[in-house]
Amino acid sequence: MKSIDLVQPRHNYSPPLESGEKGHIYMPTSLQTVAARLEHTGIETRIFDENFRKAELSTAITGINLVGSPYIPEVIDLQRRIRGERPCDGRFLLGGKVVSGLKPHEFTQLFGPDSANGNIDLMLKTNLEIQGVLPPKEEVSLIGIYEKIDDEDMREYLSREFSFYLSQGCNQGCTFCAADKQQREQYRNIDIAIKDLDYLVQRSKKLGINKLSMYLSNLDLFQSPEMLYNFSREVRRLKAENPGFDIETRGLSRVTSFLNAAKNHEQWVHAIKDSGLSTVGFGVDGFDDAVFKLMAKNQTIAECERAIRTSKKDFGITPEILMVFGHYGADTAGTLGAAYQFTVDMMDQCGAIPRPHISKSFTPGNDGWKDLMNIRQWL
């Protein structure tokens, strides 16, 4: 049987692997989803999370997950180490959103000619000699992968917040964003998602855990409110069937998506909150209508404030403020000061939680990365 070792790299802020300390423990859901797809075709997979311990690799092909751009140097170092430990004819399959943001020559320059883009099904099939069709990621269960995780590691994963795959894709096109955008949101098969969640609930109870905290994968939580409501209804059923067990969720939302849902589907939003949604991170990402326009952020200052106040006052949902500071060519000292003051005001008046970020003018996958003039200016 063909097999592949899959590696979750150690968090880039963690102590060195040699220290013997654990890194940042976080369920590697995207890597598990890839493993589930491969197992469906008959490929045997083993997942190693180097936040626990060093990977003990034995296959000629190694799959590695890049969580984001900061992991590029980490993965290059990891590749260098693996090349020194395994046969010289070994290869790498690299995945993660950042990989798809690179042009082929950029990918090869960074990761070497022995590496292929594992986000492309054809690359997976060619390198692993897969016959037939890989199942869509929306249609695979992760239970078989969860079952391979020993109790000690699973207890670590489930005792803290973890990402739960529910949907991907956003129909908006903010210029600074490197996520899957300007496309229809694609929900996972909810029946399968709920079966996976039920498994995690039962496994948690066996491990002495009485609460799951999940960060939903949706890029825009209220973009498809009916689908989110359908999921929340099943979550409420699971909680009713498991008295004493709690499920808490949080996620991201565009300001306008939330306001539309609150206006047109108020009862759905209440039901979603009652299912366990405790916190919503709103993508404010600046505080000037001119800045919003340049960033293709289709919202207004008034809408941002209304969404934050409405979430707290009308629904009892804690708002988070995702505030991106320093948009190149758009922000000024005045707009930066206004963004800061708005964040402080919403903290004081609505109990909002600040989540500040520095704008990245170009990063693999966003508009700036594709702009040749922008690249020349920074070289």
Side-chain angles (χ1 to χ4, degrees):
M1 178 183 290
K2 195 78 174 180
S3 61
I4 181 173
D5 291 333
L6 303 173
V7 181
Q8 177 62 49
R10 194 168 178 83
H11 192 276
N12 56 329
Y13 289 156
S14 295
L17 186 62
E18 297 75 24
S19 71
E21 298 180 43
K22 290 178 182 176
H24 179 67
I25 307 299
Y26 200 83
M27 183 93 78
T29 305
S30 58
L31 201 61
Q32 292 168 340
T33 304
V34 172
R37 296 183 73 211
L38 294 176
E39 295 250 340
H40 187 84
T41 69
I43 302 294
E44 178 70 23
T45 67
R46 296 192 306 164
I47 295 180
F48 296 93
D49 187 344
E50 291 212 327
N51 288 291
F52 285 117
R53 61 193 68 87
K54 182 180 178 181
E56 298 178 358
L57 306 176
S58 60
T59 57
I61 299 176
T62 304
I64 304 177
N65 177 38
L66 282 84
V67 180
S69 299
Y71 276 78
I72 290 177
E74 303 295 328
V75 169
I76 291 172
D77 287 344
L78 177 58
Q79 286 182 292
R80 187 179 298 115
R81 189 191 88 200
I82 294 172
R83 288 187 185 108
E85 296 175 348
R86 73 177 188 187
C88 60
D89 60 348
R91 291 187 56 76
F92 296 98
L93 287 168
L94 307 181
K97 180 64 185 71
V98 63
V99 170
S100 294
L102 298 168
K103 297 179 178 66
H105 72 277
E106 295 169 339
F107 179 90
T108 301
Q109 185 176 9
L110 284 169
F111 303 114
D114 58 351
S115 302
N117 185 343
N119 295 335
I120 301 172
D121 281 2
L122 180 59
M123 292 293 184
L124 291 176
K125 294 177 67 175
T126 300
N127 282 272
L128 294 171
E129 301 176 356
I130 295 173
Q131 302 299 317
V133 179
L134 281 159
K137 62 181 181 295
E138 297 85 7
E139 297 293 332
V140 295
S141 169
L142 305 189
I143 292 176
I145 306 303
Y146 293 150
E147 290 175 335
K148 292 185 174 187
I149 304 173
D150 67 38
D151 284 348
E152 182 180 349
D153 288 357
M154 196 58 145
R155 184 178 288 106
E156 291 276 5
Y157 283 138
L158 298 180
S159 295
R160 63 200 75 209
E161 183 182 85
F162 63 95
S163 175
F164 187 81
Y165 170 37
L166 186 58
S167 87
Q168 281 291 286
C170 176
N171 61 17
Q172 299 298 307
C174 304
T175 60
F176 59 87
C177 181
D180 294 327
K181 57 188 179 181
Q182 293 181 305
Q183 58 184 263
R184 183 173 65 88
E185 182 179 27
Q186 192 75 21
Y187 254 79
R188 190 179 178 199
N189 183 315
I190 289 181
D191 289 340
I192 293 174
I194 289 296
K195 287 179 181 177
D196 283 7
L197 181 54
D198 187 23
Y199 172 87
L200 293 176
V201 169
Q202 305 312 321
R203 183 82 180 267
S204 296
K205 290 165 68 174
K206 291 179 181 177
L207 295 172
I209 299 167
N210 60 11
K211 178 181 179 180
L212 290 179
S213 297
M214 304 190 304
Y215 191 95
L216 300 179
S217 68
N218 310 46
L219 293 168
D220 183 6
L221 203 57
F222 290 94
Q223 192 161 120
S224 306
E226 184 173 7
M227 295 296 291
L228 182 62
Y229 168 71
N230 291 340
F231 173 73
S232 70
R233 186 171 54 190
E234 293 301 305
V235 173
R236 291 199 306 276
R237 177 183 61 78
L238 274 184
K239 291 169 74 171
E241 293 174 354
N242 295 273
F245 194 93
D246 194 18
I247 300 173
E248 184 178 80
T249 59
R250 69 184 185 104
L252 306 176
S253 178
R254 283 181 54 83
V255 163
T256 53
S257 296
F258 172 78
L259 288 175
N260 288 336
K263 177 182 178 181
N264 299 314
H265 306 289
E266 181 180 353
Q267 295 307 312
W268 287 359
V269 178
H270 278 296
I272 291 164
K273 191 271 179 185
D274 291 342
S275 74
L277 181 66
S278 63
T279 309
V280 173
F282 291 109
V284 179
D285 301 326
F287 203 68
D288 182 88
D289 288 341
V291 172
F292 290 154
K293 184 176 181 180
L294 284 170
M295 297 299 107
K297 193 82 178 176
N298 297 319
Q299 63 189 26
T300 66
I301 292 171
E303 288 171 331
C304 293
E305 183 170 350
R306 190 160 74 250
I308 292 167
R309 293 187 183 280
T310 299
S311 68
K312 184 69 171 181
K313 179 181 177 182
D314 295 353
F315 297 100
I317 298 172
T318 299
E320 292 182 333
I321 301 176
L322 275 72
M323 184 62 80
V324 176
F325 291 94
H327 296 289
Y328 181 74
D331 265 318
T332 65
T335 61
L336 290 172
Y340 169 78
Q341 190 59 52
F342 174 76
T343 304
V344 172
D345 289 344
M346 292 299 97
M347 290 168 59
D348 291 342
Q349 298 171 24
C350 302
I353 300 170
R355 291 179 60 185
H357 302 273
I358 300 298
S359 177
K360 301 174 181 64
S361 296
F362 59 97
T363 191
N366 75 359
D367 289 18
W369 188 264
K370 306 166 191 174
D371 187 341
L372 182 60
M373 295 302 295
N374 192 20
I375 294 173
R376 286 174 175 167
Q377 182 170 345
W378 285 91
L379 290 178

